[in-house]
Amino acid sequence: MKNIKAQLFRSTYLWFEPNNEPKENGAAANISISNNFDYEKLPDGTMRIYLDVSFKYLRASILVRSGFQFKNKSILWDNVFVADVINPMVNLAIQKCYQRFTEQCMENHIESPVSFEADEKTIQSITNGIIKQYFTYRKSDDKANEYLIENIGLEFNPGTDSEITIKGTFLIIDEILYHNSKFDKENNQKVFGNIYPLPRYFTIKLNCLEIEEHPVKLSFFDSIMFYQYIDCALQMLLGNKSAILIPAIEALGMNKEIQDSFLKNGTALFKQLNDMLENSNSRITNIENRMNWNSLIR
């Protein structure tokens, strides 16, 4: 299909982690690459694909998201997930990952590879994996959740309450998944990611954090996930890991007053949801079956 042109609109690192005790050996000096992806259609019809590329190196690791969007709003995802469209995006996403990697290494005074270029075999392998995952799993999931994906659920307007709820949720979850060395981050990423796919978590997070600039609208599908993120954050703030968590988030500016406001606003959001469900005689089983995060997070 003609007129399928993707434009890079954003490239940013999602996390960066120095290796304070690198093991000096020949194999470790090579960069290993892994990837994941997500995609969405915005309320105005704009279609976007996000490629998450991870580098693991002797002295540091990084995850970089490159976002691409299409000018044509009438194309189908089936026409997007083909080699001729995906391959150039993968190539550029890897280049952007290396660029962000060297920038972060420089800022953290870490020696980085002088140069890096992915071979065609690696690029093609990643491309094939993305296409296979879409047609094998994602396409059927999209069809099953079509109503939830295509209709708006939560809407947030810029303001103190909304911003505290959004920023507090992601600040806490990022702390237990990526930033705080007192948590078992590898375990937590695996546990959380097995329940809520991490690429979707990043998509919802980045969309929500635009609250500083303009109102945020989440589909019903993303709204359900966001409620579950809030539940996770509330449990962690009040649970048996709070002694580890609270000093860390306070150092990042989430003081006692903001924590209390977050607890109040988050609880109010759940009450609002439960009242709405009761009045409409509806159920959301994902939210009814709450996870015990204090038993899962280490």
Side-chain angles (χ1 to χ4, degrees), residues 183-201:
F183 287 99
D184 185 343
K185 293 180 288 185
E186 185 175 352
N187 168 79
N188 297 345
Q189 290 169 30
K190 182 178 180 181
V191 167
F192 189 90
N194 284 340
I195 302 169
Y196 311 121
L198 292 176
R200 198 66 196 169
Y201 170 76

Side-chain angles (χ1 to χ4, degrees), residues 45-237:
T46 300
M47 300 173 70
R48 289 180 171 178
I49 286 187
Y50 308 105
L51 300 186
D52 299 340
V53 177
S54 172
F55 278 7
K56 289 189 176 181
Y57 178 60
L58 173 67
R59 300 183 181 279
S61 300
I62 194 170
L63 178 64
V64 173
R65 165 163 289 199
S66 293
F68 301 84
Q69 65 184 22
F70 302 89
K71 292 183 179 180
N72 188 337
K73 298 180 180 180
S74 62
I75 55 179
L76 301 174
W77 288 119
D78 283 11
N79 302 131
V80 170
F81 285 96
V82 296
D84 287 347
V85 177
I86 299 295
N87 192 287
M89 289 192 288
V90 170
N91 189 18
L92 183 54
I94 292 175
Q95 294 178 35
K96 289 297 181 181
C97 186
Y98 174 68
Q99 178 183 335
R100 301 297 180 204
F101 184 62
T102 55
E103 291 171 357
Q104 287 302 307
C105 285
M106 185 177 298
E107 287 186 19
N108 288 273
H109 308 289
I110 296 171
E111 182 182 356
S112 64
V114 176
S115 63
F116 173 80
E117 186 173 344
D119 56 61
E120 186 58 37
K121 183 179 179 180
T122 299
I123 295 171
Q124 193 60 51
S125 176
I126 292 173
T127 298
N128 293 341
I130 290 172
I131 294 171
K132 181 178 180 180
Q133 186 175 342
Y134 168 74
F135 282 103
T136 305
Y137 303 106
R138 295 292 297 272
K139 182 179 178 179
S140 58
D141 286 347
D142 291 349
K143 186 63 178 176
N145 296 299
E146 185 174 6
Y147 177 82
L148 297 176
I149 292 172
E150 293 185 355
N151 289 277
I152 299 299
L154 284 172
E155 297 186 39
F156 294 106
N157 291 311
T160 304
D161 289 349
S162 294
E163 292 189 20
I164 286 176
T165 302
I166 287 172
K167 292 179 180 179
T169 297
F170 294 111
L171 184 71
I172 290 170
I173 296 178
D174 280 352
E175 196 67 21
I176 64 179
L177 295 185
Y178 295 107
H179 300 319
N180 195 322
S181 59
K182 294 182 180 180
F183 287 99
D184 185 343
K185 293 180 288 185
E186 185 175 352
N187 168 79
N188 297 345
Q189 290 169 30
K190 182 178 180 181
V191 167
F192 189 90
N194 284 340
I195 302 169
Y196 311 121
L198 292 176
R200 198 66 196 169
Y201 170 76
F202 292 128
T203 299
I204 295 172
K205 172 188 169 181
L206 292 176
N207 286 342
C208 282
L209 291 180
E210 293 181 1
I211 189 69
E212 292 183 343
E213 303 172 10
H214 55 72
V216 169
K217 296 181 180 181
L218 298 180
S219 69
F220 272 115
F221 186 85
D222 288 350
S223 296
I224 292 169
M225 282 201 174
F226 183 65
Y227 272 113
Q228 293 168 304
Y229 300 161
I230 296 174
D231 185 37
C232 175
L234 289 171
Q235 288 189 42
M236 296 307 302
L237 188 58

